[in-house]
Coordinates of all heavy atoms in Angstrom, one line a residue:
F179 N -10.1 -16.6 30.3 CA -8.6 -16.4 30.1 C -8.3 -15.2 29.2 O -7.2 -14.8 29.2 CB -8.0 -17.7 29.5 CG -8.6 -18.1 28.1 CD1 -8.2 -17.5 27.0 CD2 -9.4 -19.2 28.0 CE1 -8.7 -17.9 25.7 CE2 -9.9 -19.6 26.8 CZ -9.6 -18.9 25.7
G180 N -9.3 -14.7 28.5 CA -9.1 -13.6 27.6 C -9.6 -12.3 28.1 O -9.2 -11.2 27.6
K181 N -10.4 -12.3 29.2 CA -10.9 -11.0 29.7 C -9.8 -10.1 30.2 O -8.9 -10.5 31.0 CB -11.9 -11.3 30.8 CG -13.2 -12.0 30.3 CD -14.1 -12.3 31.5 CE -15.4 -13.0 30.9 NZ -16.2 -13.5 32.0
G182 N -9.8 -8.9 29.7 CA -8.8 -7.9 30.1 C -7.5 -8.0 29.2 O -6.7 -7.1 29.3
R183 N -7.4 -9.0 28.4 CA -6.2 -9.2 27.5 C -6.6 -9.2 26.0 O -5.8 -8.7 25.2 CB -5.5 -10.5 27.8 CG -4.9 -10.5 29.2 CD -3.9 -11.7 29.3 NE -4.6 -13.0 29.1 CZ -4.1 -13.9 28.3 NH1 -2.9 -13.8 27.7 NH2 -4.7 -15.1 28.1
F184 N -7.8 -9.7 25.7 CA -8.2 -9.9 24.3 C -9.3 -9.0 24.0 O -10.2 -8.8 24.8 CB -8.6 -11.4 24.1 CG -7.5 -12.4 24.2 CD1 -7.8 -13.7 24.1 CD2 -6.2 -12.1 24.5 CE1 -6.9 -14.7 24.3 CE2 -5.2 -13.0 24.7 CZ -5.6 -14.4 24.6
T185 N -9.3 -8.5 22.7 CA -10.4 -7.7 22.2 C -10.8 -8.0 20.8 O -9.9 -8.1 19.9 CB -10.0 -6.2 22.3 OG1 -9.6 -5.8 23.6 CG2 -11.2 -5.3 21.8
I186 N -12.1 -8.3 20.6 CA -12.6 -8.5 19.3 C -13.2 -7.2 18.7 O -13.8 -6.5 19.4 CB -13.7 -9.6 19.3 CG1 -13.1 -10.9 19.8 CG2 -14.3 -9.8 17.9 CD1 -14.2 -12.0 20.1
S187 N -12.9 -7.0 17.4 CA -13.5 -5.9 16.7 C -13.9 -6.3 15.3 O -13.4 -7.3 14.9 CB -12.6 -4.6 16.7 OG -11.4 -5.0 16.0
R188 N -14.7 -5.5 14.7 CA -15.0 -5.8 13.3 C -15.2 -4.6 12.4 O -15.6 -3.5 12.9 CB -16.3 -6.7 13.2 CG -17.6 -6.0 13.7 CD -18.7 -7.0 13.9 NE -19.1 -7.7 12.7 CZ -19.9 -8.8 12.6 NH1 -20.2 -9.4 13.7 NH2 -20.2 -9.3 11.4
D189 N -14.9 -4.7 11.2 CA -15.1 -3.7 10.2 C -15.9 -4.2 9.1 O -15.5 -4.9 8.2 CB -13.7 -3.2 9.7 CG -13.8 -2.0 8.8 OD1 -14.9 -1.7 8.2 OD2 -12.8 -1.3 8.6
N190 N -17.2 -3.9 9.2 CA -18.2 -4.5 8.2 C -17.9 -4.0 6.8 O -18.2 -4.7 5.8 CB -19.6 -4.2 8.6 CG -20.1 -4.9 9.8 OD1 -19.5 -6.0 10.1 ND2 -21.1 -4.4 10.5
A191 N -17.4 -2.8 6.6 CA -17.1 -2.2 5.3 C -16.0 -3.0 4.6 O -15.9 -3.1 3.4 CB -16.8 -0.8 5.4
E192 N -15.1 -3.6 5.5 CA -14.0 -4.3 4.9 C -14.2 -5.8 5.0 O -13.3 -6.6 4.7 CB -12.7 -3.9 5.6 CG -12.3 -2.5 5.4 CD -11.9 -2.2 4.0 OE1 -11.4 -3.1 3.3 OE2 -12.2 -1.0 3.6
N193 N -15.3 -6.3 5.5 CA -15.6 -7.7 5.7 C -14.5 -8.4 6.5 O -14.1 -9.5 6.2 CB -15.8 -8.4 4.3 CG -17.1 -8.1 3.7 OD1 -17.9 -7.3 4.1 ND2 -17.4 -8.9 2.7
T194 N -14.1 -7.8 7.6 CA -13.0 -8.3 8.4 C -13.3 -8.2 9.9 O -13.9 -7.2 10.4 CB -11.7 -7.5 8.1 OG1 -11.4 -7.6 6.7 CG2 -10.5 -8.1 8.9
V195 N -13.0 -9.3 10.6 CA -13.0 -9.3 12.1 C -11.6 -9.5 12.6 O -10.8 -10.2 12.0 CB -14.0 -10.4 12.6 CG1 -13.5 -11.8 12.2 CG2 -14.2 -10.2 14.1
Y196 N -11.3 -8.8 13.8 CA -10.0 -8.9 14.3 C -10.0 -9.4 15.7 O -11.0 -9.4 16.4 CB -9.4 -7.5 14.4 CG -9.4 -6.7 13.1 CD1 -10.4 -5.9 12.7 CD2 -8.3 -6.9 12.2 CE1 -10.4 -5.2 11.5 CE2 -8.2 -6.2 11.0 CZ -9.3 -5.4 10.6 OH -9.2 -4.8 9.4
L197 N -8.9 -10.0 16.1 CA -8.7 -10.4 17.5 C -7.3 -9.9 17.9 O -6.3 -10.3 17.5 CB -8.7 -12.0 17.6 CG -8.3 -12.5 19.0 CD1 -9.4 -12.1 20.0 CD2 -8.2 -14.0 19.0
Q198 N -7.4 -8.9 18.8 CA -6.2 -8.3 19.4 C -5.9 -9.0 20.7 O -6.8 -9.1 21.6 CB -6.5 -6.8 19.7 CG -5.3 -6.1 20.4 CD -4.1 -5.8 19.5 OE1 -4.3 -5.5 18.3 NE2 -2.9 -6.0 20.0
M199 N -4.7 -9.5 20.8 CA -4.3 -10.2 22.0 C -3.1 -9.6 22.6 O -2.0 -9.5 22.0 CB -4.0 -11.7 21.7 CG -5.2 -12.4 21.1 SD -5.0 -14.2 21.0 CE -3.8 -14.3 19.6
N200 N -3.2 -9.2 23.9 CA -2.1 -8.5 24.6 C -1.7 -9.3 25.7 O -2.4 -10.2 26.2 CB -2.6 -7.1 25.1 CG -3.0 -6.2 24.0 OD1 -2.5 -6.2 22.9 ND2 -4.0 -5.4 24.3
N201 N -0.5 -9.0 26.2 CA 0.1 -9.7 27.4 C 0.0 -11.2 27.2 O -0.5 -11.9 28.1 CB -0.6 -9.3 28.7 CG 0.1 -9.7 29.9 OD1 1.3 -10.0 29.9 ND2 -0.7 -9.9 31.0
L202 N 0.6 -11.7 26.1 CA 0.5 -13.1 25.8 C 1.3 -14.0 26.7 O 2.3 -13.6 27.2 CB 0.9 -13.3 24.3 CG -0.1 -12.9 23.3 CD1 0.6 -12.7 21.9 CD2 -1.3 -13.8 23.2
K203 N 0.8 -15.2 26.9 CA 1.4 -16.2 27.8 C 1.7 -17.4 27.0 O 1.1 -17.7 26.0 CB 0.5 -16.5 29.0 CG 0.0 -15.3 29.7 CD -1.1 -15.7 30.7 CE -1.6 -14.6 31.5 NZ -2.7 -14.9 32.5
P204 N 2.7 -18.2 27.4 CA 3.0 -19.5 26.7 C 1.8 -20.4 26.5 O 1.7 -21.0 25.5 CB 4.1 -20.1 27.6 CG 4.8 -19.0 28.2 CD 3.7 -18.0 28.5
E205 N 0.9 -20.4 27.5 CA -0.3 -21.2 27.4 C -1.3 -20.7 26.3 O -2.3 -21.4 26.0 CB -1.0 -21.3 28.7 CG -1.3 -20.0 29.4 CD -0.3 -19.7 30.5 OE1 0.9 -19.8 30.2 OE2 -0.7 -19.2 31.6
D206 N -1.1 -19.5 25.7 CA -1.9 -19.0 24.6 C -1.4 -19.7 23.3 O -2.1 -19.4 22.3 CB -1.8 -17.5 24.5 CG -2.4 -16.8 25.7 OD1 -3.5 -17.2 26.2 OD2 -1.8 -15.8 26.1
T207 N -0.3 -20.4 23.3 CA 0.1 -21.1 22.1 C -1.0 -22.0 21.5 O -1.4 -22.9 22.3 CB 1.4 -21.8 22.3 OG1 2.5 -20.9 22.7 CG2 1.8 -22.6 21.1
A208 N -1.4 -21.8 20.3 CA -2.5 -22.6 19.7 C -2.7 -22.2 18.3 O -2.1 -21.2 17.8 CB -3.8 -22.3 20.5
V209 N -3.5 -23.0 17.6 CA -4.0 -22.6 16.3 C -5.3 -21.8 16.6 O -6.2 -22.3 17.3 CB -4.2 -23.8 15.4 CG1 -4.9 -23.3 14.0 CG2 -2.9 -24.5 15.1
Y210 N -5.4 -20.6 16.0 CA -6.6 -19.8 16.2 C -7.5 -19.8 15.0 O -7.0 -19.6 13.9 CB -6.2 -18.4 16.6 CG -5.7 -18.2 18.0 CD1 -4.4 -18.7 18.3 CD2 -6.5 -17.7 19.0 CE1 -4.0 -18.6 19.6 CE2 -6.0 -17.6 20.3 CZ -4.8 -18.0 20.6 OH -4.3 -18.0 21.9
Y211 N -8.8 -20.0 15.2 CA -9.7 -20.2 14.1 C -10.8 -19.1 14.2 O -11.3 -18.7 15.3 CB -10.4 -21.5 14.2 CG -9.5 -22.7 14.1 CD1 -8.9 -23.3 15.2 CD2 -9.3 -23.3 12.8 CE1 -8.1 -24.4 15.0 CE2 -8.5 -24.4 12.7 CZ -7.9 -24.9 13.8 OH -7.1 -26.0 13.7
C212 N -11.2 -18.6 13.0 CA -12.3 -17.7 12.9 C -13.5 -18.5 12.4 O -13.4 -19.4 11.6 CB -11.9 -16.6 11.8 SG -13.3 -15.5 11.4

């Protein structure tokens, strides 16, 4: 469901991981956990 819409990236220097979500749909409504 995320292929082509979602992208994970990380910045080790900042101790941070990201989740970019594009073209969101109502069915994406959820609590998101790392």
Side-chain angles (χ1 to χ4, degrees):
F179 61 77
K181 292 177 180 175
R183 297 193 298 136
F184 297 175
T185 303
I186 300 171
S187 60
R188 67 193 293 164
D189 186 338
N190 289 338
E192 297 295 329
N193 282 13
T194 303
V195 64
Y196 304 94
L197 176 63
Q198 177 72 39
M199 299 192 287
N200 299 326
N201 191 26
L202 286 163
K203 307 172 181 180
E205 53 262 43
D206 294 319
T207 295
V209 177
Y210 284 75
Y211 298 88
C212 175

